[in-house]
Amino acid sequence: MRTTKKLMALVATAAMMVGLGACSSTRGGSSNSSSGIEKGAVIGVSMPTKSEERWNKDGNNLKAKLEKAGYKVNLSFADDKPAQQNADIENMVNNNAKVIVVAAKDGTAVGPAVEKAKEAGAKVIAYDRLIMNTKAVDYYVTFQLEKVGELEAKYIIDQLGLEKGATGPFNIELFTGSPDDNNAKYFFKGAWDLLKPYFEKGVLVSPSNHGGGVNAQSTVDNTWQKISVQGWKTAQAQTDMESILDSTYAHGEKLDAVLSPYDGITQGIINAIQQKRPDMKPGTDSWPVMTGQDAMEIAIANISKGLQGETVFKDVNELADAVYNMVVEIAEGKEVSGINGKFNNGVIDVPSKLLEPVSITKDNLSDLVKAGYVTQERFDQLTK
């Protein structure tokens, strides 16, 4: 009887030790950085510049959401300098950031910094701009990039009546975004795939020699960087457009349309036309069809005045939400949801979450208020 009691006690003790071992293992797993990130951890957010309206909105939206969820956020703006962005990211690594979100100024130059982040155990999320030529990218969150260009091209096609059989020929000038931004190529590809057939038919022509000329033989790869605007800068776009007007449209020649990939570039084009061709009047057939992107405040005002026909709205609130949800899933050790594509960065196919852009014209301009992108008061100020 006594032997039986001793045996039962030994079994109970062994069971208790197994239970304690299991509890200890569970606690260790929940604090392990590979399965989750504790609240209060540092999340790095690196934006390319403060000089453009959208990056201020993007950075501060994301910071507010993550701080509300209980994380510390190290938000930096790189002042349009790749070296500064690399230094900012290295600083985040030194501050033990667990996730680093990067909207790259230069998608290739930022590679060494994100590689250091990966070596330190951080997750790296490319924000709206793909980080190129490195394995050190876990996820990419952006909009349907080619769709942006498609929406711009469709607006031009519709306004010129090309699908209804208009034969022109119509004079069009084309611009692309910064040559160091990989997204710019995809924007142009989406547009060029739709516009090129009309060049091949002779319905669209680009009479200037801008960037060496755009014609029916042009391809995305041999053209997009030649007609690019470094840094997406308004001043550079204005200089380029003034040169086009002086060389090709100085004697009353008609300019029917301009493919512009971004509202800041569009503003430069508007400035150049107003400077060089004051005979072109908004709201009349003398004023060219113009596109844009980002629904900047200046675009809201320009569209309401008939200076710009369209902008492609990429809701940065939606983008911030998507990245916020991704960070939270990573922090909670969950599988990241909503991956619906992949982009090759030259080394790997990066799992990507792709959002839908929206075409905005005068007809649906107030949708920007409904989306919470701009207040009604500010909208009224811009459109009056």
Side-chain angles (χ1 to χ4, degrees), residues 4 70 76 120-122 350 354:
T4 302
S76 66
V350 183
L354 307 175

Side-chain angles (χ1 to χ4, degrees), residues 99-364:
V99 180
I100 297 180
V101 179
V102 182
K105 167 57 186 170
D106 183 323
T108 299
V110 80
V114 297
E115 284 164 7
K116 289 181 181 179
K118 283 296 291 179
E119 288 170 9
K123 293 287 187 182
V124 176
I125 300 171
Y127 185 101
D128 204 34
R129 294 176 172 179
L130 187 57
I131 299 170
M132 304 299 293
N133 303 324
T134 178
K135 293 181 179 179
V137 191
D138 293 285
Y139 301 102
Y140 180 33
V141 183
T142 189
F143 289 82
Q144 299 276 2
L145 300 180
E146 290 187 27
K147 181 77 174 287
V148 172
E150 289 171 10
L151 292 173
E152 292 168 349
K154 283 178 180 176
Y155 181 75
I156 291 172
I157 290 167
D158 179 62
Q159 292 300 301
L160 296 182
L162 304 190
E163 285 188 338
K164 294 179 179 179
T167 57
F170 298 101
N171 291 335
I172 183 172
E173 299 299 331
L174 302 93
F175 290 79
T176 60
S178 189
D180 57 8
D181 184 346
N182 188 61
N183 286 10
K185 177 181 178 179
Y186 289 101
F187 298 147
F188 182 62
K189 183 181 185 307
W192 188 239
D193 284 350
L194 297 184
L195 295 177
K196 185 174 182 177
Y198 294 104
F199 273 82
E200 292 171 340
K201 296 172 185 174
V203 176
L204 290 178
V205 293
S206 184
S208 79
N209 199 40
H210 174 48
V214 179
N215 54 50
Q217 287 71 49
S218 297
T219 66
V220 172
D221 287 333
N222 71 16
T223 302
W224 82 272
Q225 289 186 319
K226 294 179 181 179
I227 57 173
S228 63
V229 178
Q230 182 67 46
W232 303 86
K233 295 298 184 183
T234 299
Q236 184 61 56
Q238 179 171 344
T239 298
D240 291 348
M241 191 65 199
E242 287 179 355
S243 177
I244 290 169
L245 292 170
D246 283 341
S247 65
T248 310
Y249 300 91
H251 304 290
E253 293 88 351
K254 190 169 186 342
L255 173 60
D256 296 290
V258 181
L259 175 73
S260 168
Y262 165 62
D263 296 334
I265 290 174
T266 311
Q267 183 60 51
I269 293 163
I270 292 169
N271 293 344
I273 293 173
Q274 291 177 327
Q275 186 80 12
K276 296 289 184 177
R277 287 289 303 272
D279 59 302
M280 294 185 183
K281 301 295 182 184
T284 71
D285 288 342
S286 66
W287 191 258
V289 175
M290 274 188 273
T291 60
Q293 178 185 177
D294 279 349
M296 293 173 64
E297 288 194 350
I298 190 64
I300 296 172
N302 284 339
I303 290 172
S304 71
K305 297 171 186 174
L307 292 165
Q308 179 176 336
E310 182 248 19
T311 185
V312 177
F313 175 43
K314 302 187 311 186
D315 191 341
V316 295
N317 294 323
E318 186 181 346
L319 190 62
D321 282 343
V323 175
Y324 163 76
N325 290 333
M326 184 176 283
V327 171
V328 169
E329 286 173 338
I330 292 170
E332 294 177 352
K334 296 178 180 177
E335 183 177 348
V336 171
S337 62
I339 300 300
N340 59 350
K342 60 184 178 182
F343 273 84
N344 189 279
N345 74 348
V347 177
I348 60 171
D349 289 329
V350 183
S352 304
K353 184 180 288 191
L354 307 175
L355 310 175
E356 283 289 324
V358 177
S359 182
I360 296 291
T361 67
K362 200 167 187 176
D363 292 338
N364 63 342

